[in-house]
Each structure stands twice: as structure tokens, then as C-alpha cells.
Amino acid sequence: MKLDTLIQNVRLTDGRQGAWYIGIADGAIACMGPMADCPPASEAARVENRPGCIAIAGLQNAHSHVAMTLLRGQGGDLPLARWLNEAIFPLEDRLDEEAVYWGAKLGMLEMLSGGITFFADMYMMMDAVAQAAVDTGMRAELCRGLTSGEDEQGKLAGALDFADRWTGAGDGRITCALGPHAEYTTTEGFLKEIAAAARQSGLPVHVHASETRDEVAGCVQRHGVSPIAYLQRVGLLGSRTRLAHCVAVDGEDIALLAESRALAVHCPGSNLKLASGIAPISRMQAAGVRLALGTDGPASDNRQDMMRAMYLCAVLQKGITGDAQAGGARQALDMACAGACLAPGLPADIVLINGQGLHLLPEHDALSTVVYAAGTSDVVMTMIAGHIRYLDGAFPGIDVEQTVRMARMHQQKLLRGKE
């Protein structure tokens, strides 16, 4: 078998001991096993011999607004409502397509350098985000944020058109969804129309839900039920629904999430910084809720850093439950990879982490090392569909200096307009 890439001498996090090889062909893992069974290097077009590295499946950022890199640091210590209304919305009103493209591209390079191979994104001017994803080689599920107000029918038609044009782009790496922003920004009638459109088109749904106690209280006042129950009422809660945050949820909400098989996305860094709270992940897991991990946007979390999100996910549950066995490294990594693993036949979305940093030695357990000790600076390779998109500090085929320069220029334009 002729391999495109042969990765040698890596360790795994699933309990398999010793040094392993991974062979990649046609965008997928063709073979893997102990180094004693490794194919000859001559059978591969490229060899990455990486003793001391740990291999994991690509990290999946299940909720982001990546173009908000341009707003990083704005309203740094404000609670959510003030942060949005005083710091973010006035700047977003001045964004244009070019600014969104360069802000998104910068955020994607940040993600690639931290081992993220997929992200789910809801924002505005999403054609620019989609183009940046194609240009950087990332996988993405993208949607336009939908809110009520003027021309709701035009907004929904535009979202469906966006999905028609971009689904399957980038050699199949781009998928699309419908993105009702939240209960509090979208009327009941519009939510029902979006739900009907999702059923008819077969598109998944991406929505914010129960991010704060105030949000839940407002929903109860308006509709008599929590946001989770309300989304079920309007037909938006199902196995293809991605719900960002799910912080302020009770037992009934958790039961609905489990029964519907909806995906609850934990964004611990953003929720802590905005004082929104801590999602009860351990209770959700015990109830059988499907769970994933995200960063939220780089203006609320400040970093598109799934390594930090994994650490927070693992340790926060211990802190709020008083149980050292709550959360844990395996659950955090599974959530960060959306359950993906390394096995023959699966897509070659592979991340290598250098395990030789002083802060990682001596190593006793590769899984514990990745979740509790490693950081984005330890990532040395990010591969997507068999293509190396980040390697030892470089991004093959991408002009990083141009991306940084253009992002800075557009950030300064936004800030000048604020004066």
C-alpha cells in the first residue's frame, strides 16, 4: 500500500502502550499499529518521525463566532448584557465582508495552531467565513445568525441560499446549518418557520440556549417555560440541534435534552469570564445528554483554545460537586473531539502534541498529560483530511504575515469609527 504520510513513534491516549505508527492515504487513516509492525518508510511519500509526541484526534470547537477576533479584548470585564450592548454591538454594526474574512482567517490560524480541525460557527456575512474556511483547509459547520425584525422571510431565504451554495465546498469539508440566534432575539412565529425550514431542508440547527439565569427568567416570564422547553414547543429541539451553553438548566431541562438527543455545547471559558455560571456537565452526563465542548467567540473567551477548554471542563465539575472523580480527563477529551478517535477507515484529522516540554515531564499517563498539563504551544502538527495545515509553527501555503496585517488594519478601522 502506498501511503501519503507515515507518522512514526507516537503515543496514544486510549491506554494502548508503547510507540505507534499511523499511515494515511486518500485523506483517511489507512493503517495503524505498534512500531514493530510499521511499514517501511519507502512506502510513504512523506514520513513524520515524532518520538516523544502524543497523537489525538482533531479537536472540534463546537461553538464559536470566529470573526470576532477583531473584537478581542473589548468590554473585558462586563457581564453578558452590558458586554453585548455597550462593547460588541456598536462595533459589529461597522463590520463589512472584508473585515469578517480577515478576522475569521486569523481566528482559524489560531485554531489550527492549537489542534482544532473543525468548528461550528454562527455569525453574520458568513460567505466571508466560509471562504476563509475553504482557504485555510478547515472543516466547519456554518450558519447565519437569524433574529427577528425587518424582513424575516428574506433572512431565512438568505440562510437557505447560503446553505445551498456552500454545503460540500472545500472538498466536502464545509457543512451548513440554520442558526436562530436565541429565544430572546427571535419571535415564536419566526422560530416555528425556521423549524419547518430545517425539517424540509434537512439542515441541522445551531442556537444559543439558557446561557444565564436572567435569560431563563425572561423566557419563563414571556412564555411560562424555560428556553429548553420553549425550543421543544416550537419544534427546534431534536437530535440535529446544537445548543450553545446550557448553563442555567434544571432537571426537567436535562431530561428534555437527553430525550431529544440534542447536543449541549459547554463553553466554560466564556461562561466564567462573563459570569454566566457553570453548566452542570456531570448531571447531564449521568442523564445521558450528548455533550460537546466549545470556546465561544474570541471576544468573550478571548482565545480559540480547546486545550484550555478541556482543562476547565475537567476541573470545574470537581470543584462544583466536591467529587474528585467528577468530570475527568477522558470525558473532557471525548467532548473536545466530539467522540472522534484514531482508527483505520476514519478521516485523517490528527493532532500531534509534543510531550517533551518541562511542564509535561516525567509523563505517567498520556491522557492526563494532554488534558491537565498540555497547552496550545505544545501542538506541533494539525492534519485535516490527510493534509498538514500546521507544522512546527508554520502554516503551509498560507501567508500569515498578510493575515495578521489585514486583521490589524480592519480592527483599527473599527476602532476609529467608534471615536
Side-chain angles (χ1 to χ4, degrees):
M1 177 191 305
K2 187 64 176 179
L3 300 173
D4 298 321
T5 305
L6 178 62
I7 300 171
Q8 297 177 328
N9 286 303
V10 294
R11 300 190 305 285
L12 306 177
T13 61
D14 59 5
R16 289 180 284 185
Q17 301 299 309
W20 282 64
Y21 78 89
I22 306 172
I24 295 101
D26 298 323
I29 298 175
C31 54
M32 63 184 296
M35 277 301 297
D37 302 324
C38 184
S42 59
E43 293 186 7
R46 180 191 188 107
V47 176
E48 289 290 333
N49 186 27
R50 294 285 178 160
C53 281
I54 302 168
I56 63 171
L59 300 174
Q60 300 193 24
N61 186 354
H63 176 66
S64 180
H65 314 285
V66 67
M68 293 180 79
T69 50
L70 298 181
L71 310 180
R72 199 191 317 255
Q74 293 295 314
D77 294 312
L78 295 175
L80 178 61
R82 289 187 60 198
W83 176 77
L84 285 170
N85 290 293
E86 297 176 21
I88 300 303
F89 290 158
L91 289 174
E92 286 185 329
D93 286 343
R94 290 189 285 276
L95 286 170
D96 59 26
E97 291 268 352
E98 187 179 3
V100 168
Y101 173 83
W102 290 109
K105 190 171 185 179
L106 178 63
M108 291 176 205
L109 297 189
E110 178 188 359
M111 286 196 278
L112 287 170
S113 70
I116 298 171
T117 58
F118 164 91
F119 67 103
D121 202 90
M122 175 198 295
Y123 206 52
M124 62 187 78
M125 305 177 199
M126 291 300 290
D127 288 274
V129 179
Q131 188 61 59
V134 170
D135 292 347
T136 56
M138 292 200 73
R139 295 190 192 274
E141 179 191 276
L142 307 175
C143 63
R144 290 184 174 186
L146 296 171
T147 58
S148 287
E150 296 182 1
D151 194 21
E152 292 178 357
Q153 296 306 308
K155 291 177 181 177
L156 180 55
L160 291 167
D161 175 67
F162 169 79
D164 284 342
R165 288 185 291 105
W166 285 101
T167 296
D171 297 322
R173 297 189 312 274
I174 307 302
T175 59
C176 296
L178 293 179
H181 176 263
E183 171 275 325
Y184 59 88
T185 54
T186 321
T187 64
E188 181 170 350
F190 195 27
L191 287 174
K192 288 181 176 178
E193 289 184 25
I194 295 169
R199 288 192 295 272
Q200 183 174 0
S201 65
L203 291 170
V205 171
H206 187 163
V207 60
H208 298 86
S210 299
E211 186 172 358
T212 66
R213 289 185 293 274
D214 287 346
E215 176 194 331
V216 173
C219 186
V220 171
Q221 185 177 32
R222 286 184 291 273
H223 307 292
V225 293
S226 72
I228 304 297
Y230 182 70
L231 290 172
Q232 183 192 45
R233 178 189 294 178
V234 298
L236 281 171
L237 196 65
S239 61
R240 303 196 70 202
T241 305
R242 179 187 303 269
L243 299 107
H245 303 300
C246 298
V247 171
V249 294
D250 61 17
E252 292 183 4
D253 293 327
I254 292 172
L256 283 173
L257 291 170
E259 181 181 358
S260 67
R261 302 299 295 156
L263 182 69
V265 183
H266 183 33
C267 301
S270 172
N271 297 153
L272 288 171
K273 181 169 175 282
L274 295 171
S276 300
I278 301 170
I281 296 301
S282 295
R283 288 176 57 200
M284 292 189 201
Q285 182 189 31
V289 176
R290 294 173 57 225
L291 296 166
L293 197 57
T295 64
D296 206 359
S300 55
D301 191 332
N302 288 57
R303 292 180 63 169
Q304 301 286 272
D305 185 343
M306 287 289 287
M307 303 293 287
R308 182 170 68 175
M310 272 196 294
Y311 176 83
L312 289 173
C313 176
V315 301
L316 281 173
Q317 297 306 303
K318 303 175 188 300
I320 64 173
T321 64
D323 179 2
Q325 293 183 308
R330 173 49 58 193
Q331 180 190 11
L333 183 59
D334 286 347
M335 288 172 62
C337 298
C341 60
L342 299 178
L346 295 181
D349 294 357
I350 301 169
V351 172
L352 298 185
I353 297 169
N354 179 13
Q356 299 304 297
L358 297 179
H359 57 295
L360 305 178
L361 297 173
E363 179 198 305
H364 293 282
D365 177 77
L367 173 62
S368 180
T369 295
V370 168
V371 174
Y372 292 123
T376 55
S377 62
D378 300 307
V379 173
V380 294
M381 190 192 84
T382 302
M383 173 183 282
I384 301 174
H387 296 283
I388 294 175
R389 301 301 183 181
Y390 174 78
L391 185 69
D392 296 325
F395 300 86
I398 296 178
D399 189 334
V400 179
E401 291 184 1
Q402 179 194 34
T403 302
V404 172
R405 182 176 67 253
M406 295 300 292
R408 282 177 170 161
M409 182 190 77
H410 284 286
Q411 179 217 32
Q412 290 304 311
K413 286 176 62 177
L414 289 176
L415 296 179
R416 282 197 300 271
K418 186 179 179 183
E419 295 172 355

